[in-house]
């Protein structure tokens, strides 16, 4: 064996990930990087604050007879997920705005896509980062809340009587997370500046709500809620949780609009995530 | 070597930075965003005008709505609650952060001018570019919407001038507050959004003094139009509305602007900006 | 000796737990000085400290005799060409340089004049009215140089100014930097490419892992390290016989064959060369065709010091 060590290029001799699993690398490194930021951990912690309040409510309702009016209902779970929307917005902006924009700024896309990583895997990896975080502040606390109810009540009565609740929580969380993540990723692919993306997303959310607000205030007709991104999600949520809605618009129309939004986001991502710029 | 080397004053330096920055702000991709933001109310106004002409006056609960009232609604819901804070957050937090992201801050910070002059110059450029775009948008909306439903342009015109002043005050105040946020924090956008769309609406609902720690409290006192009752919260606010006098609001806004710009200047002067490699 | 243009005393800079510059004390004399070091050595940190973009975590740095942090008036006397390829892409070269000169207090007319002169010096006058976004990499480097010299500074601080330039532009720039040095300006120029610095100045500052390894004239530095192992590459008619003879010498530390040549490592290069000359003259091992030492250039000094 030569005493001189070769300082040159060495081929990778380790194990290769199976084809189709490269998105995991993107997802895990993205999540690790986010969990390394104290501010972000703080944001996640604050996002769980409503959960603790609701847990106390459930405890009180189960153990203090005078507080029986606080007893959980399916509406409470719907409200809980509605309250989480504000945190969904901030987590989406904080964690999602830079997901692709930062790679574009650093010209990292061609490097990523020159590896054994397909465009779909890249997008999936990024989507998983945001989706996992958003599910962590919507689906996870809501399901845990359901478990807390069972634990504090000491019986399965509420759970059995409302068997639709856990699928409803799961379905609504998935729909919300998919719509938010897909639209945020699409916006993130449109710019090199995460701040610009963040404000675009805020614009999409608040501006459509403001436009609906003007029309509602003028006409008092809630059918125009289909113009609002947030109102469409709320309308669909009400339908999934079998709750009366404050919007008169039909829920299938809201669903159609959200599906169109996801389709448009997919189209944008398909156009924007490329290893090389297609000039003409 | 070059003669006559006297350092320009902070005001003169700020004006030169303003010259340099105005074009950058106006002719950037984000102007598309600005155009959409300010064009959408105009499009809405066109729609209202066309529908008003075809279907007659808009009616709410069987009562015809005056064009001036619709204009007032648009000022409240689109401009005050959304466009002005968003422009403030976006441009205010970007004043220094954009130069850092683009790595061009070095050219400005290695010139014989104070860093606070760079901030002030860019703040002035923000004000010029937003005021010059927001006010025409409002004017177009005014001329399109007010005549519908037998509204009178002449009677409503003084309120348009008041709206101009109020919106300019809003842009000045929000811009200054978010210039401070941008100068002080590494990731200012989320903090800016939390302030504008989290803290401000929440604080306005709380009793006591907390609402005085918002810009909206003073700014909304300058609005000549009736507050919209678009939600139960809006109705509650209308009932318990506590409105400071116009003079108090103007003085408070001036104090907020002065304090925010002073703090932003201090932050910029003392902070190191490490560019990402 | 004339006053140093930059003097650092116990200077340290750290970013959180990462040390950029570690307790360095040195002086940069007037004239051209090359700041050498591999990527990540601390060159840019030092340049940012020297241009007042960063504040020392510890110690002091004086530029032209004054503290630079929070002292904007000193920028009248300094021109800085940063490493990053960043511009206001929509502006033309002339607009951009003139706008920056205006920040130095010049009025519009004299700023435009100074910008034109500077662009002329870097051979960009033809492209002065084109948008910077349309410039080639080399042109972008040159317009960056133009903004650094346009206000006629006494001290130029150039961070990797030759990066991305084609060989022709590189040669021109080197010539220009040398010319500025001759005109009495001081220039601190950084690079990790040694022959670039070697072609501009013999005066170097070697930096690695946040520490200054050596400062002064490259030849003096070389002399100082002459006592350390030195490699000599010898090609002769009878290389193996020559190697046998050389191996018997005390100062020869090791021998290795590279094709027809032998690479000798000696601890006393002067004595070795004297003996080799005698051997060549005697002709006992046939003709000696080639004697070279990779250790004689700046690269070797650098490699030796940073190892």
């Amino acid at each position: 064996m030569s005493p001189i060590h070769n300082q040159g290029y060495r081929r990778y001799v380790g194990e290769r990930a199976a084809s189709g699993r490269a998105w995991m690398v993107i997802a895990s490194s993205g999540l690790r990087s986010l969990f390394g930021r104290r501010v972000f951990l703080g944001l996640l912690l604050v996002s769980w604050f409503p959960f603790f309040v609701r847990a106390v409510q459930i405890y009180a309702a189960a153990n203090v007879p005078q507080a029986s009016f606080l007893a959980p209902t399916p509406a409470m779970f719907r409200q809980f997920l509605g309250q989480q929307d504000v945190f969904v917005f901030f987590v989406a902006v904080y964690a999602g705005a830079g997901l692709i924009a930062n790679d574009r700024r650093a010209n990292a896309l061609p490097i990523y896509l020159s590896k054994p990583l397909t465009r779909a895997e890249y997008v999936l990896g990024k989507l998983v980062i945001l989706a996992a975080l958003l599910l962590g502040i919507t689906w996870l606390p809501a399901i845990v809340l359901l478990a807390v109810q069972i634990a504090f009540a000491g019986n399965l009565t509420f759970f059995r009587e409302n068997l639709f609740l856990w699928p409803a929580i799961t379905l609504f969380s998935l729909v919300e997370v998919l719509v938010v993540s897909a639209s945020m990723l699409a916006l993130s692919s449109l710019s090199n500046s995460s701040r610009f993306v963040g404000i675009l997303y805020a614009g999409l959310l608040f501006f459509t709500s403001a436009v609906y607000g003007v029309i509602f205030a003028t006409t008092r007709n809630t059918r125009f809620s289909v113009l609002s991104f947030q109102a469409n999600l709320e309308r669909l949520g009400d339908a999934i949780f079998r709750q009366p809605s404050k919007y008169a618009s039909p829920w299938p129309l809201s669903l159609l609009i959200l599906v169109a939004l996801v389709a448009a986001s997919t189209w944008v991502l398909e156009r924007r995530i490329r290893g090389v710029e297609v000039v003409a | 070597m070059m003669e006559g080397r006297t350092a320009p004053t902070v005001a003169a330096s700020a004006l030169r930075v303003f010259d340099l920055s105005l074009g950058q702000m106006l002719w950037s991709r984000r102007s598309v965003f600005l155009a959409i933001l300010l064009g959408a109310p105009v499009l809405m106004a066109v729609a209202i005008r066309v529908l008003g002409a075809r279907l007659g006056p808009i009616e709410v609960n069987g009562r015809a709505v005056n064009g001036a009232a619709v204009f007032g609604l648009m000022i409240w819901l689109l401009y005050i609650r959304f466009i002005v804070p968003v422009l403030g957050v976006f441009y205010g937090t970007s004043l220094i952060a954009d130069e850092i992201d683009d790595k061009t801050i070095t050219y400005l910070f290695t010139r014989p001018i104070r860093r606070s002059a760079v901030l002030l110059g860019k703040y002035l450029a923000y004000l010029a570019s937003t005021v010059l775009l927001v006010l025409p948008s409002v004017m177009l909306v005014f001329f399109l919407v007010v005549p519908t439903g037998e509204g009178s342009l002449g009677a409503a015109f003084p309120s348009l001038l008041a709206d101009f002043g109020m919106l300019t005050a809003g842009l000045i105040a929000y811009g200054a507050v978010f210039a401070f946020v941008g100068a002080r924090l590494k990731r200012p956008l989320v903090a800016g959004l939390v302030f504008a769309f989290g803290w401000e609406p929440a604080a306005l609902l709380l009793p006591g003094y907390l609402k005085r720690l918002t810009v909206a409290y003073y700014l909304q006192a300058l609005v000549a139009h009736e507050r919209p009752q678009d939600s139960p919260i809006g109705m509650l606010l209308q009932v318990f509305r506590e409105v400071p006098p116009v003079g108090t609001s103007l003085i408070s806004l001036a104090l907020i602007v002065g304090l925010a710009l002073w703090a932003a200047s201090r932050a910029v002067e003392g902070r190191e900006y490490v560019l990402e490699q | 000796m004339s006053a140093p243009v930059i003097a650092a005393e116990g200077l340290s800079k750290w970013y959180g737990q990462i040390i950029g510059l570690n307790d360095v004390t040195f002086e940069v004399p007037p004239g051209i000085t090359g700041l050498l070091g591999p990527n990540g050595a601390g060159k840019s940190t030092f340049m940012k400290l020297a241009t007042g973009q960063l504040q020392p975590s510890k110690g002091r740095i004086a530029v032209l005799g004054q503290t630079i942090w929070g002292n904007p008036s000193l920028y009248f006397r300094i021109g800085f060409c940063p490493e990053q390829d960043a511009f206001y892409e929509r502006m033309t070269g002339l607009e951009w340089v003139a706008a920056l000169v205006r920040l130095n207090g010049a009025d519009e007319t004299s700023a435009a004049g100074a910008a034109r002169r500077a662009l002329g010096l870097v051979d960009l006058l033809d492209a002065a009215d084109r948008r910077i976004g349309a410039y080639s990499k080399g042109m972008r480097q040159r317009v960056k140089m133009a903004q650094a010299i346009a206000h006629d500074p006494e001290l130029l601080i150039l961070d990797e100014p030759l990066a991305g330039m084609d060989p022709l532009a590189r040669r021109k720039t080197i010539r220009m930097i040398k010319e500025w040095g001759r005109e009495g300006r001081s220039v601190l120029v950084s690079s990790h490419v040694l022959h670039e610095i070697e072609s501009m100045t013999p005066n170097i500052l070697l930096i690695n892992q946040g520490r200054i390894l050596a400062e002064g004239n490259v030849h003096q530095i070389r002399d100082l390290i002459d006592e350390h192992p030195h490699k000599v590459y010898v090609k002769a008619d009878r290389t193996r016989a020559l190697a046998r003879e050389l191996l018997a010498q005390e100062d020869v530390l090791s021998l290795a064959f590279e094709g027809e040549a032998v690479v000798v490592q000696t601890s006393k290069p002067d004595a070795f060369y004297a003996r080799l000359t005698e051997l060549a003259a005697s002709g006992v091992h046939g003709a000696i065709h080639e004697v070279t030492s990779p250790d004689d250039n700046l690269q070797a000094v650098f490699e030796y010091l940073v190892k």
Side-chain angles (χ1 to χ4, degrees), chain B residues 3 21 35 68 87 115 127 129 137 144 148 221 241 248 261 269:
Chain B
E3 295 305 317
S21 308
L87 288 180
R115 289 177 171 202
L127 268 187
S129 45
S137 160
L144 285 164
T148 56
R241 195 176 178 198
T248 309
L261 286 180
E269 290 282 357

Side-chain angles (χ1 to χ4, degrees), chain A residues 37 39 43 86 89-91 93-95 97 102 104-106 190-220 227 246 272, chain B residues 29-31 33 36-37 40-41 44 48 58-61 65 70 73-74 77-78 82-83 86 89-90 93-95 97-102 187-190 193-195 197-198 228-231 235 276:
Chain A
R37 295 184 200 163
V39 175
L43 182 59
V86 62
F89 169 72
F90 287 120
V91 169
V93 171
Y94 190 97
N102 289 346
R104 291 180 62 85
R105 174 178 289 278
L190 290 173
S191 172
N192 292 353
S193 161
S194 58
R195 265 174 304 109
F196 188 39
V197 172
I199 215 80
L200 278 178
Y201 181 73
L204 174 74
L205 213 71
F206 295 121
F207 192 65
T208 53
S209 294
V211 168
Y212 163 63
V214 171
I215 297 175
F216 170 70
T218 320
T219 63
R220 298 282 153 191
L227 293 173
K246 61 179 175 184
R272 299 287 293 177
Chain B
R29 269 193 195 178
R30 61 194 50 178
S31 302
F33 167 71
I36 294 171
L37 205 62
M44 272 186 82
I48 289 170
I58 299 164
E59 288 186 5
V60 175
N61 300 334
V65 180
V70 178
L73 277 176
M74 292 178 78
L77 296 174
L78 292 178
F82 176 70
I83 291 176
V86 156
V89 172
F90 183 42
T93 57
S94 301
L95 295 182
D98 257 5
E99 298 277 347
I100 292 168
D101 284 353
D102 295 343
R187 294 174 199 280
L189 181 69
V190 173
L193 289 173
V194 167
F195 181 86
F197 298 106
Q229 293 169 23
D230 55 329
S231 63
M235 289 173 202
E276 282 174 22

Side-chain angles (χ1 to χ4, degrees), chain C residues 57-118:
Chain C
S57 305
K58 196 167 148 273
R60 282 188 309 193
I61 182 164
V63 180
L64 299 168
Q66 297 178 39
T67 302
I68 180 90
W69 175 258
N71 183 8
S73 62
L74 200 49
Y75 294 117
F76 278 120
R77 302 168 66 191
I78 300 171
F80 179 51
C81 174
E83 181 188 13
Q84 68 267 17
D85 182 53
F87 300 92
Y88 298 128
E89 305 276 348
R90 284 182 182 80
M91 294 177 96
T92 68
L94 182 64
E95 285 168 353
W96 185 60
V97 177
L100 292 178
V101 178
R102 286 197 70 211
L103 297 182
N104 281 51
D107 61 51
E108 215 156 320
T109 320
S110 53
R116 280 195 180 280
R117 270 193 304 280

Side-chain angles (χ1 to χ4, degrees), chain B residues 1-2 5-7 16 19-20 24 27 99 102-103 106-113 115 272 275, chain C residues 13 53-55 72 75-76 80 84 86 88 90-91 99-100 102-106 144 147 151-152:
Chain B
M1 316 273 162
M2 208 182 244
R5 298 183 173 207
T6 41
R16 286 169 190 214
D19 281 349
L20 178 64
Q24 301 299 314
W27 307 116
E99 298 277 347
D102 295 343
K103 297 178 184 166
T106 313
Y107 300 115
L108 301 177
F109 281 180
T110 54
R111 297 281 151 186
I113 55 174
R115 289 177 171 202
E272 294 173 313
L275 306 180
Chain C
K13 180 69 202 174
Q53 296 176 74
L54 296 179
Q55 194 177 17
Y75 294 117
F76 278 120
F80 179 51
Q84 68 267 17
Y88 298 128
R90 284 182 182 80
M91 294 177 96
L100 292 178
R102 286 197 70 211
L103 297 182
N104 281 51
K144 222 159 56 176
Q147 65 79 32
H151 58 288
D152 208 7

Side-chain angles (χ1 to χ4, degrees), chain A residues 100 103-104 106-115 117-120 122-123 189 268-279:
Chain A
I100 296 177
D103 284 348
R104 291 180 62 85
N107 278 328
L109 265 183
I111 297 173
Y112 274 127
L113 299 178
S114 67
K115 309 283 173 203
L117 170 81
T118 63
R119 291 193 292 154
Y122 172 81
V123 172
S189 72
V268 169
L269 286 165
E270 200 281 325
R271 300 276 303 172
R272 299 287 293 177
I273 306 300
R274 303 208 169 177
V276 286
E277 284 287 337
V278 178
V279 179

Side-chain angles (χ1 to χ4, degrees), chain C residues 230-275:
Chain C
H230 187 100
K231 272 185 195 168
V232 185
Y233 177 97
V234 188
K235 208 169 177 182
D237 279 344
R238 294 163 60 199
T239 305
R240 288 189 178 270
L242 178 69
R244 260 196 307 277
E245 170 120 16
L246 292 175
L247 197 54
Q249 309 298 324
E250 260 183 34
D251 59 295
V252 172
L253 304 173
S254 71
L255 277 171
F257 290 97
E258 277 186 18
E260 295 296 302
V262 60
V263 181
V264 184
Q265 199 175 30
T266 170
S267 58
K268 291 181 179 162
D270 292 344
F272 178 82
Y273 282 124
R275 237 179 3 259

